[in-house]
Amino acid sequence: MYDTNIKKCIFATKLIIKYNKMKRVLSLLALVLLIFTACEKATEDNNKVSIKLTSTETVSVSSGSSMGFITYELLTPVEGATVEATADVDWIGGFDYKQMGKIMYKVDQNPLEEGRSGKITVTYNKSSFDVVINQGGNPAPTQKTITDFKLYGKYYGIQSGLYNYYLIFSDLGLDENNMYAVPDAHYYLVDLFLTETPEDMGHITIPVGTYDYDPTNSGFAGTFTETYSWYQINDAYGVASSANQISYESGKLIVEEGKVTLEVTLYFGDVKETHIVVYEGDYAFIDESNLQ
């Protein structure tokens, strides 16, 4: 369907044809100017900017996965036209247009040590704008080895068909109730499930072997689960906020004769660290299986 200015352009062209046929005395120059003006105006209207970015053109995000949004304004609504966003990289996506004037998007975690950049292009009718996403790098985790923590533990007996051992590595130990609630203490907790019952109930230890961290809580034997496994930092009252109960990203527990080693990776904000907690010596778990 033609707009008004295009109609003027066509109408003026028809006048020239009529002029040539009827040879009326009319300024050809005036007709040419009329045609030029109408056609130029029609072209300008057709190319008019229809959408405008109202949020920032450049966005910086951390190395972890995140959500973001772009805001825009429709300057010239066009019947049948839709807003569409595309990215030039595969780690930006998940576009959501549910809210008028806003486009939600998702940024995947950056597995690389160096930072990276991607571009989102938003189009509407014949107009478009770009938004650049700069994501920080994910440097190799710093490594921290701890050899001065003691090993404590509890044996809970049968839990979900497996034998449950609970390891507690700590600098300040347990309180009078055998809980990890000592003021200013640090704890590495491991909720381990095995098919083996303790060999000596009078001196409960962990069977020799290597056990993996299971962040999905699948319940596989020989794993320690995410639900009750974390690094904990207590305050002056012996309490840890949720922010100071930091889940492991990955990990394994290595049990040898006279030595137990916990290797875990975890995030402090955007900083990834590897902690290796080594305990050498004798230990025995508290038997709480009869309390279940």
Side-chain angles (χ1 to χ4, degrees), residues 86-115:
T86 57
D88 63 352
V89 292
D90 60 6
W91 48 270
I92 302 175
F95 298 109
D96 185 332
Y97 312 90
K98 292 177 183 177
Q99 185 174 344
M100 183 65 178
K102 179 181 287 189
I103 302 171
M104 302 294 297
Y105 62 86
K106 181 179 182 299
V107 179
D108 293 338
Q109 181 174 325
N110 185 2
L112 308 175
E113 291 191 26
E114 64 273 12

mmCIF file of all heavy atoms in Angstrom, residues 86-115:
data_model
loop_
_atom_site.group_PDB
_atom_site.id
_atom_site.type_symbol
_atom_site.label_atom_id
_atom_site.label_comp_id
_atom_site.label_asym_id
_atom_site.label_seq_id
_atom_site.Cartn_x
_atom_site.Cartn_y
_atom_site.Cartn_z
ATOM 1 N N THR A 86 19.530 -10.741 17.457
ATOM 2 C CA THR A 86 20.433 -11.836 17.087
ATOM 3 C C THR A 86 21.816 -11.522 17.644
ATOM 4 O O THR A 86 22.146 -10.364 17.908
ATOM 5 C CB THR A 86 20.521 -12.011 15.565
ATOM 6 O OG1 THR A 86 20.951 -10.763 14.965
ATOM 7 C CG2 THR A 86 19.181 -12.412 14.972
ATOM 8 N N ALA A 87 22.610 -12.565 17.856
ATOM 9 C CA ALA A 87 23.975 -12.393 18.357
ATOM 10 C C ALA A 87 24.951 -13.001 17.363
ATOM 11 O O ALA A 87 24.635 -13.976 16.671
ATOM 12 C CB ALA A 87 24.137 -13.040 19.724
ATOM 13 N N ASP A 88 26.154 -12.445 17.316
ATOM 14 C CA ASP A 88 27.168 -12.963 16.389
ATOM 15 C C ASP A 88 28.063 -14.007 17.047
ATOM 16 O O ASP A 88 29.048 -14.444 16.459
ATOM 17 C CB ASP A 88 28.011 -11.822 15.815
ATOM 18 C CG ASP A 88 28.810 -11.072 16.887
ATOM 19 O OD1 ASP A 88 28.585 -11.335 18.095
ATOM 20 O OD2 ASP A 88 29.650 -10.221 16.519
ATOM 21 N N VAL A 89 27.710 -14.431 18.293
ATOM 22 C CA VAL A 89 28.453 -15.485 18.997
ATOM 23 C C VAL A 89 27.432 -16.439 19.612
ATOM 24 O O VAL A 89 26.291 -16.045 19.909
ATOM 25 C CB VAL A 89 29.378 -14.903 20.096
ATOM 26 C CG1 VAL A 89 30.525 -14.110 19.488
ATOM 27 C CG2 VAL A 89 28.579 -14.044 21.064
ATOM 28 N N ASP A 90 27.843 -17.688 19.838
ATOM 29 C CA ASP A 90 26.888 -18.674 20.350
ATOM 30 C C ASP A 90 26.747 -18.639 21.868
ATOM 31 O O ASP A 90 25.890 -19.334 22.422
ATOM 32 C CB ASP A 90 27.262 -20.091 19.886
ATOM 33 C CG ASP A 90 28.657 -20.525 20.351
ATOM 34 O OD1 ASP A 90 29.292 -19.775 21.123
ATOM 35 O OD2 ASP A 90 29.109 -21.601 19.925
ATOM 36 N N TRP A 91 27.563 -17.860 22.582
ATOM 37 C CA TRP A 91 27.462 -17.809 24.044
ATOM 38 C C TRP A 91 26.542 -16.700 24.535
ATOM 39 O O TRP A 91 26.373 -16.505 25.743
ATOM 40 C CB TRP A 91 28.845 -17.680 24.676
ATOM 41 C CG TRP A 91 29.759 -16.634 24.098
ATOM 42 C CD1 TRP A 91 30.644 -16.789 23.076
ATOM 43 C CD2 TRP A 91 29.890 -15.272 24.522
ATOM 44 N NE1 TRP A 91 31.305 -15.602 22.834
ATOM 45 C CE2 TRP A 91 30.869 -14.664 23.710
ATOM 46 C CE3 TRP A 91 29.268 -14.520 25.523
ATOM 47 C CZ2 TRP A 91 31.239 -13.332 23.855
ATOM 48 C CZ3 TRP A 91 29.633 -13.183 25.681
ATOM 49 C CH2 TRP A 91 30.611 -12.611 24.850
ATOM 50 N N ILE A 92 25.904 -15.989 23.626
ATOM 51 C CA ILE A 92 24.861 -15.018 23.958
ATOM 52 C C ILE A 92 23.579 -15.485 23.288
ATOM 53 O O ILE A 92 23.562 -15.788 22.104
ATOM 54 C CB ILE A 92 25.214 -13.603 23.467
ATOM 55 C CG1 ILE A 92 26.534 -13.124 24.065
ATOM 56 C CG2 ILE A 92 24.100 -12.621 23.807
ATOM 57 C CD1 ILE A 92 26.996 -11.777 23.523
ATOM 58 N N GLY A 93 22.496 -15.562 24.047
ATOM 59 C CA GLY A 93 21.236 -16.018 23.465
ATOM 60 C C GLY A 93 20.115 -15.963 24.485
ATOM 61 O O GLY A 93 20.130 -15.145 25.407
ATOM 62 N N GLY A 94 19.125 -16.846 24.301
ATOM 63 C CA GLY A 94 17.987 -16.880 25.215
ATOM 64 C C GLY A 94 17.167 -15.606 25.203
ATOM 65 O O GLY A 94 16.680 -15.158 26.240
ATOM 66 N N PHE A 95 16.991 -14.998 24.028
ATOM 67 C CA PHE A 95 16.292 -13.712 23.945
ATOM 68 C C PHE A 95 14.814 -13.855 24.318
ATOM 69 O O PHE A 95 14.132 -14.780 23.891
ATOM 70 C CB PHE A 95 16.433 -13.128 22.541
ATOM 71 C CG PHE A 95 17.854 -12.833 22.154
ATOM 72 C CD1 PHE A 95 18.501 -13.600 21.206
ATOM 73 C CD2 PHE A 95 18.545 -11.799 22.756
ATOM 74 C CE1 PHE A 95 19.814 -13.338 20.858
ATOM 75 C CE2 PHE A 95 19.855 -11.521 22.418
ATOM 76 C CZ PHE A 95 20.498 -12.297 21.462
ATOM 77 N N ASP A 96 14.335 -12.912 25.111
ATOM 78 C CA ASP A 96 12.956 -12.919 25.598
ATOM 79 C C ASP A 96 12.352 -11.539 25.340
ATOM 80 O O ASP A 96 12.884 -10.534 25.800
ATOM 81 C CB ASP A 96 12.949 -13.251 27.098
ATOM 82 C CG ASP A 96 11.557 -13.409 27.669
ATOM 83 O OD1 ASP A 96 10.619 -12.794 27.139
ATOM 84 O OD2 ASP A 96 11.396 -14.140 28.664
ATOM 85 N N TYR A 97 11.229 -11.525 24.611
ATOM 86 C CA TYR A 97 10.609 -10.254 24.216
ATOM 87 C C TYR A 97 9.270 -10.022 24.922
ATOM 88 O O TYR A 97 8.460 -9.215 24.475
ATOM 89 C CB TYR A 97 10.353 -10.240 22.707
ATOM 90 C CG TYR A 97 11.513 -10.677 21.859
ATOM 91 C CD1 TYR A 97 11.679 -12.014 21.504
ATOM 92 C CD2 TYR A 97 12.437 -9.757 21.384
ATOM 93 C CE1 TYR A 97 12.743 -12.421 20.704
ATOM 94 C CE2 TYR A 97 13.501 -10.150 20.582
ATOM 95 C CZ TYR A 97 13.649 -11.487 20.253
ATOM 96 O OH TYR A 97 14.699 -11.887 19.459
ATOM 97 N N LYS A 98 9.017 -10.737 26.017
ATOM 98 C CA LYS A 98 7.700 -10.703 26.635
ATOM 99 C C LYS A 98 7.291 -9.305 27.080
ATOM 100 O O LYS A 98 6.125 -8.942 27.019
ATOM 101 C CB LYS A 98 7.660 -11.654 27.840
ATOM 102 C CG LYS A 98 7.758 -13.119 27.456
ATOM 103 C CD LYS A 98 7.778 -14.004 28.696
ATOM 104 C CE LYS A 98 7.946 -15.467 28.307
ATOM 105 N NZ LYS A 98 8.052 -16.343 29.510
ATOM 106 N N GLN A 99 8.237 -8.523 27.539
ATOM 107 C CA GLN A 99 7.922 -7.189 28.036
ATOM 108 C C GLN A 99 8.203 -6.154 26.961
ATOM 109 O O GLN A 99 9.319 -6.054 26.440
ATOM 110 C CB GLN A 99 8.732 -6.874 29.292
ATOM 111 C CG GLN A 99 8.358 -5.544 29.944
ATOM 112 C CD GLN A 99 9.079 -5.326 31.252
ATOM 113 O OE1 GLN A 99 9.638 -6.264 31.829
ATOM 114 N NE2 GLN A 99 9.095 -4.098 31.741
ATOM 115 N N MET A 100 7.193 -5.379 26.601
ATOM 116 C CA MET A 100 7.346 -4.354 25.572
ATOM 117 C C MET A 100 8.421 -3.348 25.975
ATOM 118 O O MET A 100 8.455 -2.861 27.105
ATOM 119 C CB MET A 100 6.010 -3.626 25.376
ATOM 120 C CG MET A 100 6.043 -2.588 24.282
ATOM 121 S SD MET A 100 6.305 -3.353 22.659
ATOM 122 C CE MET A 100 6.229 -1.899 21.610
ATOM 123 N N GLY A 101 9.320 -3.062 25.060
ATOM 124 C CA GLY A 101 10.385 -2.101 25.323
ATOM 125 C C GLY A 101 11.603 -2.696 25.992
ATOM 126 O O GLY A 101 12.541 -1.970 26.325
ATOM 127 N N LYS A 102 11.621 -4.025 26.203
ATOM 128 C CA LYS A 102 12.751 -4.671 26.873
ATOM 129 C C LYS A 102 13.026 -6.033 26.245
ATOM 130 O O LYS A 102 12.108 -6.792 25.961
ATOM 131 C CB LYS A 102 12.477 -4.831 28.364
ATOM 132 C CG LYS A 102 13.587 -5.514 29.140
ATOM 133 C CD LYS A 102 13.245 -5.663 30.621
ATOM 134 C CE LYS A 102 13.300 -4.357 31.358
ATOM 135 N NZ LYS A 102 13.176 -4.534 32.831
ATOM 136 N N ILE A 103 14.299 -6.345 26.055
ATOM 137 C CA ILE A 103 14.722 -7.645 25.544
ATOM 138 C C ILE A 103 15.668 -8.256 26.572
ATOM 139 O O ILE A 103 16.718 -7.689 26.886
ATOM 140 C CB ILE A 103 15.457 -7.527 24.195
ATOM 141 C CG1 ILE A 103 14.578 -6.842 23.152
ATOM 142 C CG2 ILE A 103 15.901 -8.901 23.692
ATOM 143 C CD1 ILE A 103 15.324 -6.496 21.869
ATOM 144 N N MET A 104 15.292 -9.407 27.115
ATOM 145 C CA MET A 104 16.153 -10.127 28.042
ATOM 146 C C MET A 104 17.094 -11.035 27.247
ATOM 147 O O MET A 104 16.729 -11.547 26.187
ATOM 148 C CB MET A 104 15.330 -10.969 29.007
ATOM 149 C CG MET A 104 14.321 -10.183 29.831
ATOM 150 S SD MET A 104 15.095 -9.030 30.980
ATOM 151 C CE MET A 104 16.000 -10.165 32.043
ATOM 152 N N TYR A 105 18.303 -11.254 27.780
ATOM 153 C CA TYR A 105 19.250 -12.165 27.138
ATOM 154 C C TYR A 105 20.086 -12.871 28.194
ATOM 155 O O TYR A 105 20.159 -12.443 29.346
ATOM 156 C CB TYR A 105 20.148 -11.420 26.150
ATOM 157 C CG TYR A 105 21.014 -10.350 26.765
ATOM 158 C CD1 TYR A 105 22.265 -10.652 27.309
ATOM 159 C CD2 TYR A 105 20.587 -9.018 26.806
ATOM 160 C CE1 TYR A 105 23.061 -9.674 27.881
ATOM 161 C CE2 TYR A 105 21.375 -8.031 27.372
ATOM 162 C CZ TYR A 105 22.605 -8.359 27.911
ATOM 163 O OH TYR A 105 23.394 -7.384 28.474
ATOM 164 N N LYS A 106 20.715 -13.971 27.793
ATOM 165 C CA LYS A 106 21.536 -14.771 28.701
ATOM 166 C C LYS A 106 22.957 -14.856 28.161
ATOM 167 O O LYS A 106 23.163 -15.001 26.953
ATOM 168 C CB LYS A 106 20.952 -16.183 28.850
ATOM 169 C CG LYS A 106 21.718 -17.091 29.796
ATOM 170 C CD LYS A 106 21.049 -18.453 29.895
ATOM 171 C CE LYS A 106 21.785 -19.366 30.879
ATOM 172 N NZ LYS A 106 23.170 -19.644 30.490
ATOM 173 N N VAL A 107 23.924 -14.762 29.063
ATOM 174 C CA VAL A 107 25.343 -14.892 28.719
ATOM 175 C C VAL A 107 25.890 -16.133 29.418
ATOM 176 O O VAL A 107 25.759 -16.273 30.636
ATOM 177 C CB VAL A 107 26.148 -13.646 29.146
ATOM 178 C CG1 VAL A 107 27.625 -13.823 28.805
ATOM 179 C CG2 VAL A 107 25.592 -12.399 28.476
ATOM 180 N N ASP A 108 26.476 -17.050 28.662
ATOM 181 C CA ASP A 108 27.039 -18.271 29.240
ATOM 182 C C ASP A 108 28.355 -17.976 29.966
ATOM 183 O O ASP A 108 29.030 -16.975 29.678
ATOM 184 C CB ASP A 108 27.304 -19.311 28.142
ATOM 185 C CG ASP A 108 26.019 -19.814 27.510
ATOM 186 O OD1 ASP A 108 24.954 -19.706 28.146
ATOM 187 O OD2 ASP A 108 26.081 -20.283 26.354
ATOM 188 N N GLN A 109 28.717 -18.855 30.870
ATOM 189 C CA GLN A 109 29.985 -18.720 31.581
ATOM 190 C C GLN A 109 31.147 -18.818 30.611
ATOM 191 O O GLN A 109 31.124 -19.606 29.665
ATOM 192 C CB GLN A 109 30.103 -19.810 32.644
ATOM 193 C CG GLN A 109 31.392 -19.735 33.460
ATOM 194 C CD GLN A 109 31.417 -20.735 34.599
ATOM 195 O OE1 GLN A 109 30.397 -21.015 35.206
ATOM 196 N NE2 GLN A 109 32.576 -21.286 34.893
ATOM 197 N N ASN A 110 32.162 -18.005 30.839
ATOM 198 C CA ASN A 110 33.341 -17.996 29.983
ATOM 199 C C ASN A 110 34.358 -19.022 30.493
ATOM 200 O O ASN A 110 34.905 -18.858 31.583
ATOM 201 C CB ASN A 110 33.969 -16.599 29.975
ATOM 202 C CG ASN A 110 35.136 -16.488 29.008
ATOM 203 O OD1 ASN A 110 35.459 -17.441 28.303
ATOM 204 N ND2 ASN A 110 35.765 -15.332 28.962
ATOM 205 N N PRO A 111 34.621 -20.073 29.729
ATOM 206 C CA PRO A 111 35.585 -21.078 30.185
ATOM 207 C C PRO A 111 37.031 -20.695 29.893
ATOM 208 O O PRO A 111 37.955 -21.405 30.299
ATOM 209 C CB PRO A 111 35.178 -22.318 29.373
ATOM 210 C CG PRO A 111 34.671 -21.742 28.087
ATOM 211 C CD PRO A 111 33.999 -20.441 28.455
ATOM 212 N N LEU A 112 37.226 -19.594 29.192
ATOM 213 C CA LEU A 112 38.563 -19.192 28.753
ATOM 214 C C LEU A 112 39.227 -18.275 29.781
ATOM 215 O O LEU A 112 38.557 -17.570 30.536
ATOM 216 C CB LEU A 112 38.472 -18.463 27.410
ATOM 217 C CG LEU A 112 37.704 -19.190 26.297
ATOM 218 C CD1 LEU A 112 37.591 -18.298 25.069
ATOM 219 C CD2 LEU A 112 38.379 -20.513 25.953
ATOM 220 N N GLU A 113 40.542 -18.278 29.765
ATOM 221 C CA GLU A 113 41.281 -17.395 30.675
ATOM 222 C C GLU A 113 41.179 -15.939 30.239
ATOM 223 O O GLU A 113 41.159 -15.033 31.075
ATOM 224 C CB GLU A 113 42.751 -17.822 30.748
ATOM 225 C CG GLU A 113 42.978 -19.153 31.447
ATOM 226 C CD GLU A 113 44.448 -19.409 31.728
ATOM 227 O OE1 GLU A 113 45.195 -18.423 31.850
ATOM 228 O OE2 GLU A 113 44.844 -20.583 31.831
ATOM 229 N N GLU A 114 41.131 -15.698 28.931
ATOM 230 C CA GLU A 114 41.057 -14.339 28.430
ATOM 231 C C GLU A 114 39.598 -13.903 28.274
ATOM 232 O O GLU A 114 38.690 -14.728 28.171
ATOM 233 C CB GLU A 114 41.786 -14.207 27.088
ATOM 234 C CG GLU A 114 41.181 -15.023 25.964
ATOM 235 C CD GLU A 114 41.718 -16.445 25.901
ATOM 236 O OE1 GLU A 114 42.379 -16.873 26.850
ATOM 237 O OE2 GLU A 114 41.441 -17.121 24.880
ATOM 238 N N GLY A 115 39.383 -12.595 28.271
ATOM 239 C CA GLY A 115 38.045 -12.061 28.064
ATOM 240 C C GLY A 115 37.597 -12.229 26.623
ATOM 241 O O GLY A 115 38.389 -12.587 25.738
#
